[in-house]
Amino acid sequence: MNDNGELGDFLRSRRARLRPEDAGAAFSGGARRVPGLRREEVAHLAGVSTDYYARLEQGRHPHVSETVLEAVARALRLDDTERGYLFELARPGHPDATGAVPPAHHACGSRSTRCWTS
């Protein structure tokens, strides 16, 4: 994987912008500590285990399959640019990795800190 922290930041930002009702699922569980979908909700929508998705988000799964990335992209409702960027972060050099940066991406803070907005 390219930059494990950047992959996690990207996935978390995309998870944060979706509400359960936007994702087409009726999830329960009471009050939310953070905005957006929970990891387990994304995992459920993508058809993977919560542990697998958590490891992907934490950059601890270096050989993620194209099938899983496609499922995560669908679950997070990524557009084509975001999908290409997901592949670039998770599988550099893969034909679906465009090398593009999502249009809503901008640097902030220090040189090593990036902010993601929707």
Side-chain angles (χ1 to χ4, degrees), residues 11-12 15 38-40 42-43 46 48-58 72 76:
L11 290 172
R12 281 186 294 279
R15 198 165 43 90
R38 296 178 176 126
R39 281 182 178 161
E40 58 266 22
V42 174
V48 299
S49 73
T50 301
D51 182 60
Y52 188 96
Y53 179 78
R55 285 182 289 150
L56 177 62
E57 195 172 277
Q58 294 165 358
V72 168
L76 293 175

Side-chain angles (χ1 to χ4, degrees), residues 5 7 10 13 15 23 25 27 30 32 36 38 42 54 59 63 71 73 75 82 86-87 91 93 100 103 113-115:
L7 175 62
F10 179 70
S13 73
R15 198 165 43 90
F27 295 107
R32 292 175 180 269
R38 296 178 176 126
V42 174
H63 303 292
E82 293 167 328
L86 172 64
F87 272 81
R91 298 180 71 186
T113 304
R114 297 193 184 231
C115 292

